[in-house]
Amino acid sequence: MAIVQKKRLGDILIMAEKITPFQLQSALKTQKILGKKLGEVLIESGIVSEEDIIDAIEAQTGIKKIDLNNIVFDKRAIKIVPQNLCNKYNLIAFGFEEDKIMVALGDPLNIFAIDDISISTGLSVKTFIAPKNDIDKFVKINYSSEEVNKAAEELLKETLEAKNIALDVEEIDDVKNAPVVKMIEYLFRNSVEMRASDIHIEPYEKEIRIRYRIDGELTTVNTLGIESLAPLITRIKILANLNIAEKRVPQDGRIITRVGNTDVDLRVSVLPIVNGEKVVIRILNRDSYKVGKERLGLSKENLRKLNNIISSPHGIVLVTGPTGSGKSTTLYTILSELNSNNVNIVTIEDPVEYTLNGINQVNVNTKAGLTFASGLRSILRQDPDIVMIGEIRDEETAQIAIKAAITGHLVLSTLHTNDAPSSMTRLVDMGVEPYLVATSISGIIAQRLVKKICNNCKEEYIASDYEKSIFNVDSKEVLKLYHGKGCGHCNNTGYNGRIGVYEIMEITREHRDAINKTRDSNVLMDISIKHGMTTLAEECKKLVLNGTTTIQELATITLLRDI
């Protein structure tokens, strides 16, 4: 190994015929001027790619390349290699082989890095090479998780030592290195790096369970002793400007922070339960609302329908679906599309999730008497062209929204229904006259979010007879479907990210006649399909067949037996 490590990168690339001697000399001159590593100079100049360098090192030295996305990290290896070494040399330890520690490096020829790891761990080092960005990514994920665990241990130790001492709130607020302060800081950072949408802190009789919601599913990431509950909740309440002395009633607050290069808005909900106070923190990444309607996941036909609906000068456009189905993202995307200097857009929301430049946004405040209904009345006196109501929850709000629509305003709002056609009957059930519903509604967008198969570990398989029956494929035919086998890139779930599934219903004269005659949503569904609407289930089927998602996710859209 010592002979291999004395080889220089330039010589290796020449031997591998990746560069010429002239290119090497030119790059070395540039390196002296810029003070960068030779590999960085060669990559930035476009002479070679990082993959070229990795392949050359593997071929000429025998140091194997490794895909960090496809391995399970050994936490023991993470614990014994300090993070400062990882950051200094761009490396990460991932496991053991007999008496050796296995380490992936961006530059496995760096003998100083290998020596420092050996001295730090007391073990011989078996080196591998991996892309630098992959190493950086997994250092952030693994060490932020490890920081949470260490801070949790420190917090538990401190709370046990100070069990009979009163909690000093000012000390918790001021001391930056207090275990509870570090615990919360690391928790926020780790949750963002793990792509979580929510943090759940749940007290039980003897422990506290911390869970993240990632791609719509809750995953347990840590458990703490119940003794840590008081300082943990107190710290969160201080950050969210909540009353730390009040433990009997629910409280809601907000924390605005920055994690790395990302602005993060945290919505805090505290709920008293049997064993203490449960906290749920919704993580709102402000960049998630800048996707553009072309990136929502709409098919070409649905994109055309959406453009038709929002181009209407007046009427109500409803976005429907359960909590967490992406309704807010769709609404903000539509608002961004409609936002221009020649229109006055006013919104009333509970709460305002993302501030849009050029749009007047009102936050509901029920304690002060500012409800959706009262706020909407005031908004209509502000000469709006477009009004967005966060949610139609009751008859009063629905009536005002409909009157606004039939008097020349474009109204955007959300409603909780299972599909697009049932939204019209839901408004009638609220107490709105059928003819008003028929007159005012321009279009309805029903949506869900389904998990996307991880591209890194996606694999093909032959569908079973039951799966073929779902797609009306003869049992004798071969149908290929896809799933993720699980890897480090997707935290061994087989999924990475989510995509929207849409059912867009354009209102026709036939719809209006039907709602005046009947409240049957099945009749409205048949009319919609007749006029070209694709149901949520059918849209999701397309995603299953093209390898975007799995048949298991199709089951979350609708009962398979009903397809």
Side-chain angles (χ1 to χ4, degrees):
M1 183 62 73
I3 296 172
V4 167
Q5 289 167 352
K6 287 180 181 178
K7 287 189 176 181
R8 295 180 298 182
L9 179 61
D11 296 333
I12 288 171
L13 291 173
I14 289 174
M15 291 172 65
E17 298 182 348
K18 298 291 184 182
I19 62 173
T20 65
F22 175 78
Q23 288 173 321
L24 174 60
Q25 292 304 316
S26 176
L28 288 171
K29 289 178 183 177
T30 305
Q31 181 192 15
K32 287 181 181 179
I33 297 169
L34 299 178
K36 293 184 176 182
K37 291 182 177 180
L38 177 60
E40 292 175 358
V41 172
L42 290 168
I43 292 169
E44 289 173 5
S45 63
I47 296 172
V48 294
S49 65
E50 185 178 20
E51 191 63 32
D52 288 333
I53 293 175
I54 290 173
D55 289 342
I57 290 174
E58 183 180 36
Q60 298 298 318
T61 68
I63 298 172
K64 293 181 180 178
K65 63 180 177 182
I66 188 166
D67 186 351
L68 296 176
N69 294 294
N70 287 327
I71 64 170
V72 177
F73 285 83
D74 190 327
K75 298 298 181 184
R76 296 173 301 162
I78 299 293
K79 282 185 177 181
I80 65 172
V81 177
Q83 186 178 1
N84 64 320
L85 281 185
C86 298
N87 295 332
K88 181 179 179 180
Y89 294 119
N90 184 239
L91 61 86
I92 187 166
F94 60 87
F96 300 93
E97 186 179 275
E98 296 176 350
D99 60 342
K100 294 181 180 179
I101 185 167
M102 296 189 288
V103 181
L105 299 98
D107 179 11
L109 306 177
N110 189 333
I111 58 174
F112 300 108
I114 297 166
D115 286 345
D116 278 0
I117 298 167
S118 185
I119 292 167
S120 175
T121 62
L123 297 170
S124 298
V125 180
K126 183 171 182 179
T127 57
F128 295 80
I129 186 168
K132 293 180 179 180
N133 287 340
D134 281 359
I135 293 172
D136 286 339
K137 177 178 70 176
F138 285 105
V139 165
K140 285 180 181 177
I141 290 173
N142 283 285
Y143 281 90
S144 63
S145 297
E146 190 60 28
E147 283 172 339
V148 172
N149 292 334
K150 286 180 180 177
E153 290 172 7
E154 290 176 20
L155 176 59
L156 180 59
K157 182 180 177 182
E158 183 187 67
T159 50
L160 288 173
E161 289 174 354
K163 197 170 184 180
N164 298 318
I165 302 173
L167 185 67
D168 189 336
V169 172
E170 290 185 3
E171 186 178 332
I172 286 178
D173 197 23
D174 295 338
V175 180
K176 297 287 185 184
N177 61 354
V180 68
V181 174
K182 290 195 289 185
M183 172 74 191
I184 296 299
E185 180 187 340
Y186 296 151
L187 190 66
F188 290 166
R189 189 168 72 198
N190 181 239
S191 62
V192 171
E193 287 169 354
M194 295 286 284
R195 301 180 296 104
S197 61
D198 301 86
I199 304 170
H200 289 240
I201 301 173
E202 304 163 319
Y204 294 95
E205 187 177 352
K206 295 181 180 179
E207 66 178 19
I208 306 164
R209 181 173 63 174
I210 298 176
R211 296 193 289 175
Y212 295 161
R213 188 177 292 279
I214 302 172
D215 292 337
E217 282 194 6
L218 283 169
T219 303
T220 300
V221 293
N222 214 313
T223 55
L224 308 176
I226 193 64
E227 298 85 1
S228 302
L229 183 64
L232 205 61
I233 300 298
T234 300
R235 177 60 182 166
I236 293 170
K237 284 183 175 180
I238 288 169
L239 292 172
N241 293 316
L242 301 178
N243 184 352
I244 62 171
E246 181 56 75
K247 299 179 181 181
R248 300 165 298 172
V249 297
Q251 296 188 69
D252 295 316
R254 181 180 185 183
I255 303 169
I256 298 175
T257 188
R258 190 168 181 82
V259 177
N261 298 320
T262 307
D263 288 323
V264 180
D265 196 344
L266 305 171
R267 299 300 166 88
V268 179
S269 173
V270 182
L271 179 70
I273 63 174
V274 173
N275 297 300
E277 291 176 285
K278 174 181 176 178
V279 178
V280 174
I281 302 171
R282 169 64 58 89
I283 303 168
L284 300 173
N285 186 337
R286 298 184 175 190
D287 293 335
S288 66
Y289 296 118
K290 300 177 182 178
V291 294
K293 68 179 189 298
E294 289 77 15
R295 293 178 58 196
L296 287 173
L298 293 156
S299 64
K300 286 184 180 179
E301 180 59 20
N302 276 339
L303 185 59
R304 182 195 64 77
K305 290 177 183 177
L306 176 63
N307 287 331
N308 285 346
I309 289 170
I310 64 176
S311 63
S312 174
H314 55 80
I316 295 179
V317 176
L318 291 173
V319 182
T320 77
T323 302
S325 59
K327 297 190 298 296
S328 296
T329 300
T330 300
L331 274 180
Y332 280 125
T333 301
I334 292 171
L335 285 175
S336 298
E337 181 80 13
L338 297 172
N339 190 14
S340 65
N341 288 329
N342 62 346
V343 294
N344 177 23
I345 302 176
V346 188
T347 77
I348 180 160
E349 306 168 59
D350 183 21
V352 173
E353 293 189 10
Y354 175 67
T355 52
L356 292 167
N357 194 35
I359 293 177
N360 309 285
Q361 294 171 270
V362 179
N363 215 31
V364 165
N365 187 342
T366 51
K367 291 180 181 177
L370 179 55
T371 62
F372 277 119
S374 62
L376 189 51
R377 287 194 188 93
S378 299
I379 284 172
L380 294 176
R381 294 193 286 271
Q382 291 282 315
D383 186 32
D385 298 295
I386 299 169
V387 176
M388 194 272 269
I389 308 165
E391 183 184 348
I392 295 178
R393 296 177 178 173
D394 51 46
E395 181 187 354
E396 187 179 12
T397 306
Q399 293 282 11
I400 300 169
I402 284 172
K403 287 175 183 176
I406 61 180
T407 53
H409 302 88
L410 179 61
V411 179
L412 308 175
S413 190
T414 68
L415 199 64
H416 287 279
T417 57
N418 291 327
D419 52 41
S422 60
S423 299
M424 297 185 80
T425 56
R426 174 81 179 99
L427 290 173
V428 174
D429 291 339
M430 278 185 179
V432 181
E433 290 294 333
Y435 76 91
L436 288 174
V437 174
T439 305
S440 60
I441 302 292
S442 297
I444 302 169
I445 306 159
Q447 68 178 82
R448 299 287 190 280
L449 290 176
V450 295
K451 290 178 284 190
K452 294 193 293 183
I453 298 172
C454 174
N455 284 325
N456 190 69
C457 63
K458 181 192 287 188
E459 62 180 17
E460 191 179 80
Y461 71 95
I462 303 300
S464 66
D465 288 346
Y466 172 65
E467 289 170 331
K468 290 176 188 176
S469 69
I470 293 169
F471 296 95
N472 296 318
V473 173
D474 189 273
S475 60
K476 295 179 182 178
E477 293 184 34
V478 175
L479 175 64
K480 294 179 180 179
L481 299 177
Y482 303 85
H483 63 193
K485 64 181 180 180
C487 64
H489 186 66
C490 61
N491 201 27
N492 294 308
T493 63
Y495 297 100
N496 189 4
R498 291 190 288 176
I499 189 170
V501 181
Y502 299 88
E503 177 179 279
I504 300 183
M505 176 175 154
E506 293 180 282
I507 306 303
T508 65
R509 179 176 294 179
E510 195 172 350
H511 284 98
R512 301 186 202 283
D513 291 340
I515 195 65
N516 279 319
K517 293 176 183 176
T518 176
R519 296 185 186 183
D520 191 343
S521 60
N522 291 323
V523 173
L524 295 170
M525 175 67 82
D526 292 340
I527 293 170
S528 301
I529 292 171
K530 172 185 165 185
H531 286 276
M533 184 187 83
T534 310
T535 65
L536 288 166
E538 291 301 320
E539 282 292 310
C540 194
K541 276 186 183 181
K542 294 176 186 176
L543 296 178
V544 174
L545 291 172
N546 68 23
T548 301
T549 191
T550 64
I551 201 161
Q552 287 76 22
E553 286 298 288
L554 173 61
T556 67
I557 295 293
T558 185
L559 292 174
L560 294 180
R561 66 170 187 268
D562 294 334
I563 294 177

